[in-house]
């Protein structure tokens, strides 16, 4: 909307007139940009536009077929319209998303727009002029004439409580167009910074804004920058950590896929603030689309003179290099990441010296995560103090969470700090799937913890989350219901950590292995257990907490120090579940199949023999057409019979 | 083009490369050949002037690198937290059962291989798998079995032609 022009104006108000002119001419063709910018923002349309959410998740949900169907539809009906592939707007559960905007009308968004219904949906807009209500997600507040009786997009429960800084453009703009980013105020803040502010002023401003590292640690970003700025060196580096290794987190992928320029602008400002002339983006190779969009964005920024030598006559040089990570969770740790860029095994080094003093190739280096950088343009545009006014006492601004698991509305959620977890899970996420009961929410991935029903009203804030044994983490938020076994979850995370431990220090390498084997004995069935096995099982159980403490206290890096957290936090809040496994040899959630005792309901069994044929240990006996039985001593609780039974006669307890 | 010269070609692109190019070189080789062979490790070591043990050490450290050729249909099963909670373990089990191989292996006919990934970043659509880069969302063990059978039939009819 027009306020975007105000942002462009405000950002450029102090930069030299010659810079302003050459920037605007390059982006919009002339200094008189208002009209061109409005059309780039698609406020004034000459022909209809169809938007398809084509991020990785959209494609997984079938956006490719939607795109194809939309193209065919336009061809068949001889309609002249543009098709724009946008990034992910964040509402994964509703994918694939298809938006249509007619000239002068509000953009309307459809959910679950799979290939087979695309034509029907497009018909409802182009022919009937009455968008099909069943699929409508909402219409946008974009100045176009509103559709009667259609809900507003912002008022959808998934979006109502969100506050979008980092995700502002995701799913709205074409991520492959730098012009669109500039038309929404992009890169103006960067030009303003390099022409009117000293690096020290930028650092101080970011300190004042209260921005803290969004990668999990929560270290004040401005402070990190000023430490690096104070170092005297011929070369400094800035590194963007896009190696989103946390299983259950995908914010960084979505931001880079949907709005790579925002991240680049943040990196460029950071580089200026510390005096770095080289930036590395360390990105996961598992995210091919994000890598592609990022590389494209860098090329565009270079051709616009926003990267390279002597950027817009400011004397500031910046080169951005993309490094593909090769898949190692430990590389989320700063010093391990630097080792990986240098071409070594990603093993952490002792700190100090901190990377801000002696980092990449022995030079001062600042490492921030994608979301941290993506906040920077918004902070500069809003003003440092205005940003600091949002959030809680110690945590400012917003946080993006990847809401997933057993919740109705999954997706990316950006909320102001201080929002409660209850609001996220129940108001935004729409509660638990299939009407089951909520059990816990896992926050912070393998380094984080589980938060139980008792603490669901806790506010999202770096400090308050620590009080319940969890951490903010990078933003994974996995919801669990009554059918999720917490011991199994702890076992899952230990398995992950055991695999990902780099092997440098013994407590982490050997300790996590031992913890995993103890957890495995806890969820083991009693069958075939000798007296000695039982004894060593109890020994392990007794040592579990002690072992966790040792690993915590004696590991070198963050991975090891936080490795026992999933076990400790589940022990703290779900001790009864552990006890049920240990003493009663039962899994209350019914998730640990090994512990289940299977039986066949004699009234339901039709004697079809399917289960007996599929049983790997011949534990099922019975004659055809007569009810079957399971011989408990032979049963290994694989669950095969339950899967194959067509009459739901096999029960487990 | 023979295998030998493909590796040489990759190395040509990294003329005066130093150690920091080691991982990109290995990634390029894997892209070309599908895996890192013994001879590639030796060549890279010679090219960069570092011991082969170091090259091998780096290659084995990272999950991305493989030392065995993958199948024509590469099945990647996501084992992220969201996928785990939604039952990816049973999906993996089914894949291993139907194909008769374990994760990280390739079938003898070279038609299938299975790999587990820490997280594919599509957690909102869990559980997910990808076959040759194509994502399949909200997969179940049954759906996967069907998918594999479809591919098998397709390959068979292609082979018959």
């Amino acid at each position: 909307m027009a306020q975007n022009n105000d942002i462009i104006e405000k950002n450029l108000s102090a930069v030299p007139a010659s810079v302003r002119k050459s920037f605007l001419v390059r982006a919009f063709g002339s200094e008189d940009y208002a009209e061109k910018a409005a059309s780039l923002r698609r406020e004034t349309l000459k022909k209809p536009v169809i938007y398809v959410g084509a991020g990785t998740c959209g494609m997984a949900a079938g956006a490719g077929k939607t795109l194809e169907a939309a193209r065919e539809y336009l061809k068949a009906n001889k309609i002249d319209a543009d098709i724009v592939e946008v990034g992910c707007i964040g509402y994964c559960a509703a994918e694939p998303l298809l938006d249509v905007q007619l000239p002068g009308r509000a953009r309307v968004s459809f959910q679950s727009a799979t290939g087979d219904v695309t034509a029907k949906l497009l018909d409802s807009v182009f022919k009937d002029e009455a968008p099909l209500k069943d699929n409508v997600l909402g219409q946008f507040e974009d100045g176009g004439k509103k559709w009667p009786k259609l809900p507003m997009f912002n008022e959808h429960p998934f979006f109502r409580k969100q506050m979008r800084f980092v995700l502002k453009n995701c799913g709205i703009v074409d991520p492959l167009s730098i012009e669109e980013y500039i038309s929404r105020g992009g890169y103006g803040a960067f030009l303003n910074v390099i022409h009117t502010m000293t690096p020290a002023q930028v650092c101080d401003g970011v300190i004042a804004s209260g921005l803290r590292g969004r990668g999990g640690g929560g270290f004040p970003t401005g402070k990190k920058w000023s430490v690096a700025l104070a170092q005297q060196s011929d070369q400094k580096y800035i590194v963007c950590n896009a190696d989103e290794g946390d299983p259950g987190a995908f914010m960084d992928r979505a931001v880079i896929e949907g709005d790579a320029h925002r991240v680049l602008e943040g990196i460029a400002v950071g580089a200026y603030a510390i005096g770095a002339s080289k930036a590395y983006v360390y990105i996961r190779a598992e995210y091919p689309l994000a890598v592609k969009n990022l590389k494209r964005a860098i090329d565009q920024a270079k051709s616009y003179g926003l990267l390279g030598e002597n950027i817009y006559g400011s004397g500031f040089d910046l080169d951005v290099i993309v490094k593909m990570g090769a898949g190692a969770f430990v590389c989320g740790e700063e010093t391990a990441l630097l080792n990986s860029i240098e071409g070594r095994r990603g093993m952490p080094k002792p700190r100090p010296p901190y990377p801000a003093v002696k980092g990449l190739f022995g030079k001062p280096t600042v490492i921030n995560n994608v979301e941290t950088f993506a906040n920077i343009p918004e902070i500069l545009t809003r003003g440092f103090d205005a940003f600091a006014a949002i959030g809680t006492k110690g945590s400012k601004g917003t946080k993006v969470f990847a809401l997933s698991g057993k919740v109705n509305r999954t997706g990316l959620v950006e909320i102001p700090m201080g929002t409660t977890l209850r609001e996220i899970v129940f108001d935004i996420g729409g509660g638990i799937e299939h009407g089951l009961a909520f059990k816990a929410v896992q926050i912070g991935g393998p380094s984080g913890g589980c938060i139980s029903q008792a603490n669901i009203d806790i506010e999202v804030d770096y400090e308050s989350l620590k009080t319940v044994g969890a951490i903010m983490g990078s933003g994974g938020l996995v919801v669990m219901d009554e059918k999720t076994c917490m011991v199994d979850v702890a076992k899952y995370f230990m398995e992950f950590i055991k695999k990902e431990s780099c092997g440098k220090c013994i407590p982490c390498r050997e300790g996590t292995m031992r913890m995993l084997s103890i957890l495995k004995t806890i969820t083991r069935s009693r069958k075939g257990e000798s007296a000695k096995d039982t004894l060593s099982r109890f020994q392990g159980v007794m040592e579990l907490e002690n072992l966790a403490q040792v690993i915590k206290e004696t590991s070198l890096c963050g991975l090891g120090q936080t490795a026992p957290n999933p076990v400790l936090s589940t022990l703290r809040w779900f001790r009864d579940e552990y006890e049920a496994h240990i003493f009663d040899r039962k899994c209350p959630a019914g998730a640990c199949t090994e512990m289940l005792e299977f039986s066949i309901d004699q009234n339901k069994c039709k004697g079809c023999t399917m289960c007996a044929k599929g049983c790997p240990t011949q534990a099922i006996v019975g004659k055809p057409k007569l009810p079957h039985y399971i011989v408990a001593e032979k049963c290994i609780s694989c669950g095969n019979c339950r899967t194959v039974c067509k009459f739901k006669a096999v029960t487990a307890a | 083009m023979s295998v030998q010269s493909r590796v040489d070609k990759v190395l040509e692109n990294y003329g005066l490369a130093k150690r920091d190019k080691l991982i990109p070189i290995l990634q390029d080789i894997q892209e070309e050949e599908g895996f890192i062979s013994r001879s590639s490790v030796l060549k890279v070591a010679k090219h960069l002037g570092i011991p082969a043990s170091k090259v091998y050490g780096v290659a084995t450290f990272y999950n991305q690198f493989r030392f065995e050729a993958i199948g024509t249909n590469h099945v990647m099963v996501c084992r992220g937290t969201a996928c785990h909670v939604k039952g990816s373990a049973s999906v993996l089990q089914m894949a291993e059962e139907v194909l008769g191989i374990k994760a990280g292996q390739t079938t003898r006919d070279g038609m299938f291989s299975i790999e587990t990934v820490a997280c594919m970043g599509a957690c909102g659509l869990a559980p997910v798998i990808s076959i040759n880069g194509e994502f399949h969302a909200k997969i179940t063990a049954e759906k996967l079995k069907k998918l594999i059978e479809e591919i098998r039939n397709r390959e068979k009819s292609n082979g018959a032609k």
Side-chain angles (χ1 to χ4, degrees), chain A residues 5-54:
Chain A
N5 285 349
D6 299 340
I7 294 174
I8 298 177
E9 208 48 54
K10 190 180 142 218
N11 279 335
L12 297 179
S13 60
V15 304
S18 59
V19 172
R20 177 196 154 93
K21 188 175 173 193
S22 68
F23 175 64
L24 289 174
V25 167
R26 210 170 260 176
F28 304 117
S30 99
E31 224 179 322
D32 190 17
Y33 61 88
E35 204 175 304
K36 181 75 198 284
S39 97
L40 279 168
R41 291 193 300 267
R42 303 200 179 81
E43 284 158 18
T44 49
L45 288 184
K46 291 203 177 68
K47 52 183 172 181
V49 183
I50 296 172
Y51 307 78
V52 178

Side-chain angles (χ1 to χ4, degrees), chain A residues 569-587:
Chain A
S569 92
T570 45
L571 259 179
R572 183 168 164 193
W573 302 112
F574 302 95
R575 208 176 186 94
D576 53 332
E577 276 194 43
Y578 276 86
E579 283 168 0
H581 283 79
I582 296 168
F583 303 118
D584 308 341
R585 313 294 292 240
K586 284 257 178 325
C587 174

Side-chain angles (χ1 to χ4, degrees), chain A residues 56-57 60 92 247-248 250 253 284-285 287 323-328 340-346 404-406 410 433 488 492-493 496 500 502, chain B residues 19-20 22-24 27 57-58 60-65 79-82 84-86 116-125 135 137-138 142:
Chain A
T56 300
C57 43
C92 300
F250 55 101
R253 171 183 67 72
R284 286 185 87 191
Y287 290 171
K323 276 268 178 181
M324 302 246 273
S340 177
I341 294 181
E342 290 175 11
R344 295 166 204 282
R345 295 168 72 114
S404 64
K406 303 205 171 166
T410 54
E433 278 181 332
D488 179 65
Y492 163 79
F493 279 117
F496 178 82
E500 294 295 335
C502 78
Chain B
R19 171 94 191 230
D20 64 306
L22 172 57
I23 294 172
Q27 284 169 332
V58 168
T60 49
F61 184 85
Y62 295 98
N63 297 329
Q64 188 189 3
F65 299 116
R79 289 289 287 134
T81 319
H84 175 75
V85 170
K86 290 217 168 182
T116 55
V117 209
C119 182
M120 295 201 223
C123 315
L125 301 162
F135 280 67
K138 295 185 181 162
E142 288 305 305

Side-chain angles (χ1 to χ4, degrees), chain B residues 47-109:
Chain B
H47 184 82
L48 292 175
I50 49 177
S53 61
K54 295 268 176 199
V55 175
Y56 188 66
V58 168
T60 49
F61 184 85
Y62 295 98
N63 297 329
Q64 188 189 3
F65 299 116
R66 282 183 295 261
F67 303 94
E68 200 182 319
I70 53 167
T72 36
N73 295 289
H74 189 52
V75 182
M76 298 212 283
V77 181
C78 180
R79 289 289 287 134
T81 319
C83 290
H84 175 75
V85 170
K86 290 217 168 182
S88 70
S90 68
V91 172
L92 177 63
Q93 202 189 339
M94 177 61 92
E96 291 181 336
E97 217 167 87
V98 172
L99 297 174
I101 47 170
K102 290 274 162 207
Q105 296 179 332
T106 307
T107 52
R108 285 179 108 180
D109 58 3

